[in-house]
Each structure stands twice: as structure tokens, then as C-alpha cells.
Amino acid sequence: MLVPRRVKFRKQHHPKRTGAAKGGTSLAFGDYGIQAMEGAYLTNRQIESARIAMTRHIKRGGKVWIRIFPDKPITKKPAETRMGKGKGSPEGWVAVVKPGRVMFELEGVTLEIAKKAMALAAAKIGVKSKFVAREEAHTDAS
């Protein structure tokens, strides 16, 4: 599971999920990728399950890059607790994903396998996303 080694502060403010991604909007490492079409919080469990789904489908054939990291703590108050008495305790870690952000990249497989693997990963994360391919890689695979 992806978790920061240590953080300066245990609790943080909730970041804005509106607006387009400031960086990480194009393919940097692999030939194929998954690009977010809407803003969301992705938990470390969602990222891990998407990674497992992709690597199982490509049968350890290619290389996978995870371009997002869950570095933001999310707090939650216990059930049936009255309002007030401070902020809740940290419950998990999330990555803030904004529209246009490339979340996963893949190389070393054919276009068909990459599309299927990315579709499996997209089903796991629950964010509206699209498949993107590098122009050179797209012509080589077909």
C-alpha cells in the first residue's frame, strides 16, 4: 500500500478538487496511459487495486508507472458522535486527482493488451477517465 513514510502534520485541510491539473497532463514515461476526466480523491487502496488489475492482465510483460501518490491524510469522526470537539482522527491517505491528470502509464505491450489493462484499472478507481497513447507508439503497434 502507498503511504508516506512520515508527514510534518497529521491533519490537513481538504484541498480543492475543482480546476484542471497543473502538471502531469501528458505521457512522460510509458507509451499508453489513463487520464482523469474529473476531479476526485483516490485512496491508496484504489490505486493498489488498479495496479494489481493491470499487472495481472499484462502478465508481468510490460512496465507500469503510477503517476499519483496518496500524500494527503483524510480524517473521520467516529460514528454516532456529536458535532464539535475538534477534528476527527486520520483514517486513510488519498491522492488529489484533477481533470487532465495522467494517473497510470504502461509500456512494453501491444495496443490491445494496453487498452484492456487500462480498462480494468479504470473500473477499479471509479473516476471518469480516458485511454491515451503516444502518437509514435500508436502507429508502431498497429
Side-chain angles (χ1 to χ4, degrees):
M1 223 54 93
L2 294 171
V3 174
R5 285 192 188 96
R6 56 186 296 272
V7 290
K8 191 167 184 179
F9 300 106
R10 286 178 58 232
K11 301 175 184 178
Q12 294 181 12
H13 288 174
H14 295 298
K16 296 282 185 282
R17 286 180 272 188
T18 59
K22 205 174 85 167
T25 56
S26 59
L27 294 173
F29 304 103
D31 297 330
Y32 312 104
I34 259 187
Q35 191 173 34
M37 300 303 290
E38 61 185 5
Y41 287 157
L42 287 187
T43 65
N44 53 354
R45 292 171 184 271
Q46 288 174 303
I47 295 168
E48 181 68 10
S49 66
R51 182 194 66 81
I52 290 169
M54 268 194 295
T55 53
R56 281 197 182 143
H57 184 71
I58 62 175
K59 297 185 173 65
R60 309 281 192 270
K63 186 165 172 53
V64 176
W65 285 273
I66 302 172
R67 297 277 310 274
I68 51 177
F69 187 80
D71 59 347
K72 185 133 327 249
I74 287 297
T75 60
K76 189 167 172 63
K77 290 181 81 71
E80 299 180 12
T81 304
R82 292 185 180 183
M83 293 291 104
K85 307 266 189 302
K87 194 168 182 173
S89 57
E91 286 293 311
W93 298 90
V94 297
V96 181
V97 175
K98 293 191 172 186
R101 177 74 187 209
V102 174
M103 299 177 284
F104 299 96
E105 291 190 30
L106 184 61
E107 80 167 5
V109 293
T110 64
L111 178 65
E112 294 78 28
I113 292 175
K115 276 190 175 179
K116 178 69 174 158
M118 291 298 184
L120 290 170
K124 295 287 184 185
I125 56 177
V127 173
K128 193 184 293 182
S129 56
K130 70 175 181 180
F131 178 82
V132 290
R134 207 180 288 271
E135 282 76 24
E136 313 87 68
H138 190 67
T139 54
D140 292 341
S142 56

